[in-house]
Amino acid sequence: MEHRRLGRSGLMVSEISYGNWITHGSQVAEDSAAACVRAALDAGVTTFDTADVYAGGRAEEVLGRALKGERRDGLEIFSKVYWPMGEGRNDRGLSRKHIVRGCEDSLRRLGTDYLDLYQAHRFDYAAPLEETLRAFDDLVRQGKVLYVGVSEWRADEIERAVRIADDMGFDRLVSNQPRYNMVWRVIESAVVPASVREGLGQIVWSPIEQGVLTGKYLPGQAPPAGSRATDPNGGASDIAHLVSDDELLHRVQRLKPVAEEVGLSMAALAVAWVLQNPAVSSAIIGASRPEQVRDNVRAAGVVLSPDVMSRIDEILGDKVERDPARTVSPAVRP
């Protein structure tokens, strides 16, 4: 496993990290989840990403139990805060109250006394940015959080936060966690340049586009049984538009010879593709079975030639989404 610096910080993270967004605590039994974590550890993965909202807190609990007994200093454990965790008015967003309480709850569920990285899961238009950044900085000063980052923030929001942090002497943001893959490249024109200027690394999620880039969804055919597209509790509605796009699925099938040429599965090729971007510090993989972890981590250290990268672009053509306006946070707190 290769490791990379997280932005311009001194923190090293595994270039492939393990995340449990739609699996632990909901879609996958705990023993299977623990087996996936063990497979990641055995492959050299040291970075684990979760969030309080995943499975209503259960994902953090499952991950904490799966990592129990591991040397804490050898791991990088990330979590996030923003989405609703209760029915109360202050059980959501990026107010000081919700951030501080959210951190305490995440630490308890994960069974650790600090988070390596705590991330704002979306931008909160209802909270003063100064309040949000001061709350994060207080957690850093208390030793409960070592670094702070954001997820799915726009370029101008990142730049405003960095300016405020500099003016007020707060800890700077070190990372952004966006969706990024072969067909979803909305961060490339604005978010990545701003992040590079300000020293943020990208910890990208959905490198295989929620399974679409594995090639398992075939044009004109029903999704395979047991896939995410057939699981109402696993986000089937989130990818319905993708698995019904026959033109996209046809083009994905044309990537198979490319994957075979470089000796990778379709999934590993997709993970390797995002890692070719030097702005990416780590690519988050998820899994419901250990063999999926073992396959995905084969992307570590892979260098794809310019010819391979060009052929991927040619095959996908106009099915690639590049509009930076597609990076959005809720206009009002959910």
Side-chain angles (χ1 to χ4, degrees):
M1 177 60 60
E2 302 289 334
H3 284 71
R4 301 182 178 190
R5 283 178 65 190
L6 184 54
R8 283 205 297 261
S9 79
L11 184 66
M12 301 296 293
V13 296
S14 51
E15 67 176 13
I16 295 177
S17 47
Y18 183 84
N20 65 355
W21 167 31
I22 58 169
T23 50
H24 296 192
S26 57
Q27 196 178 34
V28 175
E30 183 159 349
D31 57 348
S32 297
C36 289
V37 170
R38 172 46 53 192
L41 290 165
D42 289 346
V45 171
T46 60
T47 306
F48 294 84
D49 179 81
T50 187
D52 55 4
V53 73
Y54 297 165
R58 295 188 301 278
E60 287 183 322
E61 293 173 350
V62 171
L63 181 61
R65 287 191 289 269
L67 292 174
K68 187 175 181 179
E70 296 297 317
R71 189 173 72 88
R72 180 64 182 88
D73 286 348
L75 302 174
E76 303 85 47
I77 300 177
F78 301 169
S79 195
K80 300 183 281 292
V81 62
Y82 168 82
W83 295 102
M85 289 299 291
E87 298 299 321
R89 295 183 301 275
N90 291 306
D91 292 335
R92 63 205 68 219
L94 297 177
S95 67
R96 169 183 290 276
K97 183 178 179 69
H98 187 53
I99 289 172
V100 172
R101 178 58 182 271
C103 182
E104 295 287 356
D105 288 345
S106 288
L107 292 174
R108 173 179 51 78
R109 287 189 290 260
L110 284 161
T112 184
D113 56 1
Y114 72 93
L115 295 171
D116 294 272
L117 179 71
Y118 200 33
Q119 303 157 96
H121 210 163
R122 290 297 185 275
F123 190 85
D124 185 4
Y125 296 101
L129 191 47
E130 292 84 354
E131 176 183 336
T132 294
L133 295 173
R134 185 180 289 279
F136 278 126
D137 189 68
D138 285 347
L139 292 173
V140 171
R141 293 174 186 273
Q142 293 165 17
K144 296 176 180 177
V145 170
L146 302 187
Y147 297 91
V148 293
V150 300
S151 177
E152 293 291 350
W153 281 28
R154 299 170 71 106
D156 63 306
E157 294 162 350
I158 290 170
E159 290 171 330
R160 280 179 55 205
V162 171
R163 295 285 78 77
I164 291 171
D166 286 349
D167 291 345
M168 302 186 74
F170 297 155
D171 246 46
R172 268 173 156 247
L173 302 177
V174 301
S175 65
N176 176 49
Q177 187 175 130
R179 174 182 169 194
Y180 183 56
N181 55 61
M182 289 180 184
V183 295
W184 189 266
R185 309 187 195 180
V186 303
I187 63 171
E188 289 182 340
S189 64
V191 168
V192 166
S195 296
V196 170
R197 285 194 302 272
E198 305 300 350
L200 281 71
Q202 307 300 308
I203 308 164
V204 304
W205 61 274
S206 202
I208 60 174
E209 189 62 332
Q210 303 174 69
V212 172
L213 293 174
T214 66
K216 66 183 175 183
Y217 298 109
L218 301 176
Q221 297 186 25
S227 66
R228 187 178 179 207
T230 63
D231 185 353
N233 298 315
S237 61
D238 294 341
I239 63 170
H241 66 291
L242 295 172
V243 299
S244 62
D245 186 340
D246 279 356
E247 176 60 25
L248 171 62
L249 300 183
H250 273 294
R251 296 194 187 205
V252 170
Q253 291 302 309
R254 291 172 55 196
L255 293 172
K256 283 187 175 180
V258 180
E260 292 170 358
E261 178 182 312
V262 297
L264 297 173
S265 68
M266 294 276 282
L269 174 67
V271 177
W273 184 90
V274 303
L275 291 173
Q276 304 310 297
N277 189 327
V280 171
S281 296
S282 188
I284 302 172
I285 64 167
S288 56
R289 301 187 307 276
E291 54 266 30
Q292 293 173 325
V293 176
R294 289 190 284 268
D295 175 57
N296 285 188
V297 298
R298 293 181 60 214
V302 169
V303 177
L304 300 178
S305 70
D307 176 64
V308 166
M309 296 293 283
S310 294
R311 286 165 59 196
I312 291 171
D313 287 347
E314 290 173 5
I315 289 169
L316 295 175
D318 61 6
K319 301 309 291 185
V320 174
E321 178 60 69
R322 302 179 186 274
D323 183 3
R326 298 296 299 276
T327 296
V328 294
S329 293
V332 296
R333 286 179 182 168

